[in-house]
Amino acid sequence: MSTEWDNYWQGRSGVRAGAALDGVGVETHTGIAGFWDDIFTPLTPTSKLVDLACGAGTVLRRAQAAGISDLTGADISSGAITALQTNMQDVQGVVCALPKTPFTNGQFDIAVSQFGFEYAGAYDAATEIARIIAPGGQFAALAHYKGGAIDKECAAKSAKAHVLIDSRYLDVAKDVFAAANAQDQVSYNAAITALSEPRKTLDELARSGMALAKHIQAGTAQMFGRLQNYALPDVIGWLDGNAAEVTAYLSRMEAMQNAALSADDVAKIGAALRKGGMAPLEPDVFAPDGDAKPIAWTIRASKP
Ligand SMILES: C[S@@+](CC[C@H](N)C(=O)[O-])C[C@H]1O[C@@H](n2cnc3c(N)ncnc32)[C@H](O)[C@@H]1O
């Protein structure tokens, strides 16, 4: 399902940040940039490169900076591909859902993926990757690491999203606005009382740095402050839109946790690559911020 990612790439966060891993700093992490630079620098500029589950093109931008010009990005979300093509006009963008791709056998000299192909069921995706790489070509990926820093961050964010949903803040806020609109003082007072606990929860989440909670806090404060300026359907639409965003945010965090690979999963990926005629390197744990904070698996393979 691409819904949770479409919501991200078309929504506020995707447009603002252009990075898929809000809070982890993937877009600007020098260790990650260095990993890709080491792979891209030795390539010839005419190498055909595909980034699978490319998002808005974080890795493609590094490839371009290294002088590679034949670049393709593939992602399940049309919103991601639109963002990619807005950022990088010369890149071919393809909307497709791994493990299936429209690419021909051996179409690419190098396939890369950063926190991407593992969302599609890593074994099947690895089989497809081995198919589309040409003899003499290679595969390089940073993949979610079960129990690693990003996995833990996603677990913490999922927990906060659950707290926000369970607080029913957005539902009770609707009651407040509806009562105010109906000029029903009794219902209004009751709704304001009912909002007291959910509001405390929202404030705590906002104080803890949850961007979505801050956004909801600021938006509702503005509307509460000037009730007469807002039509009820607009207010309800805004609250429902934010409820949908919280749900999609939670599914995205859970999708990231589900995608995280164990050592066993990584061994299976190696087997799929081998079966597809590739020679995988020993997978490694990528911990540019120290061994206590592993971020990813590095998965690399070449095709003789
Ligand atoms: C964590 S983001 C990483 C994006 C990008 N590689 C980056 O590092 O910024 C995961 C990406 O995988 C994409 N994705 C999820 N499932 C997919 C699938 N089955 N096929 C292709 N792309 C997928 C999402 O749309 C999203 O852009």
Side-chain angles (χ1 to χ4, degrees), residues 3-292:
T3 323
E4 66 264 27
W5 288 106
D6 273 338
N7 167 287
Y8 178 80
W9 290 117
Q10 285 160 9
R12 206 162 46 77
S13 332
V15 170
R16 192 190 64 233
L21 294 149
D22 188 21
V24 186
V26 160
E27 187 86 354
T28 52
H29 196 294
T30 49
I32 291 180
F35 170 83
W36 290 116
D37 290 347
D38 288 347
I39 287 166
F40 295 147
T41 310
L43 295 178
T44 53
T46 52
S47 300
K48 292 185 195 319
L49 180 149
V50 65
D51 181 358
L52 299 164
C54 61
T58 309
V59 176
L60 289 165
R61 274 196 292 276
R62 292 229 69 87
Q64 193 172 57
I68 301 159
S69 56
D70 193 336
L71 300 172
T72 301
D75 199 283
I76 197 171
S77 163
S78 57
I81 296 302
T82 303
L84 168 70
Q85 292 183 315
T86 308
N87 290 338
M88 300 178 76
Q89 278 86 31
D90 299 337
V91 173
Q92 163 114 21
V94 177
V95 178
C96 66
L98 285 164
K100 281 209 168 133
T101 73
F103 306 124
T104 56
N105 291 351
Q107 185 170 334
F108 297 102
D109 300 308
I110 174 163
V112 298
S113 186
Q114 174 171 282
F115 306 116
F117 81 101
E118 63 272 34
Y119 287 89
Y123 185 89
D124 290 344
T127 303
E128 178 69 353
I129 288 164
R131 183 186 72 76
I132 64 175
I133 293 174
Q138 60 169 306
F139 172 52
L142 289 176
H144 287 296
Y145 179 87
K146 204 176 263 316
I150 293 175
D151 196 24
K152 285 185 184 150
E153 174 107 21
C154 291
K157 288 183 170 181
S158 294
K160 286 185 187 180
H162 276 296
V163 170
L164 181 50
I165 290 168
D166 293 348
S167 79
R168 301 194 60 254
Y169 179 87
L170 290 162
D171 284 333
V172 184
K174 273 205 248 182
D175 297 341
V176 174
F177 286 113
N181 187 260
Q183 300 189 336
D184 176 344
Q185 193 64 42
V186 175
S187 303
Y188 181 77
N189 290 346
I192 286 286
T193 305
L195 194 65
S196 163
E197 281 307 311
R199 195 199 291 252
K200 276 187 207 153
T201 304
L202 180 75
D203 290 348
E204 260 167 47
L205 290 169
R207 260 197 310 278
S208 79
M210 183 185 189
L212 208 38
K214 284 190 199 169
H215 174 73
I216 293 168
Q217 188 190 44
T220 44
Q222 187 177 327
M223 292 189 293
F224 280 134
R226 297 194 217 137
L227 279 178
Q228 69 285 0
N229 292 354
Y230 295 95
L232 185 62
D234 293 343
V235 172
I236 301 293
W238 188 88
L239 292 168
D240 284 345
N242 277 282
E245 179 139 355
V246 175
T247 306
Y249 172 83
L250 175 60
S251 336
R252 211 163 51 243
M253 292 304 127
E254 288 177 343
M256 288 198 208
Q257 288 173 266
N258 292 337
L261 303 172
S262 66
D264 229 31
D265 298 327
V266 174
K268 286 185 187 138
I269 292 168
L273 292 170
R274 233 174 267 115
K275 202 168 164 196
M278 298 200 71
L281 293 181
E282 198 53 43
D284 211 355
V285 177
F286 187 64
D289 300 322
D291 288 349

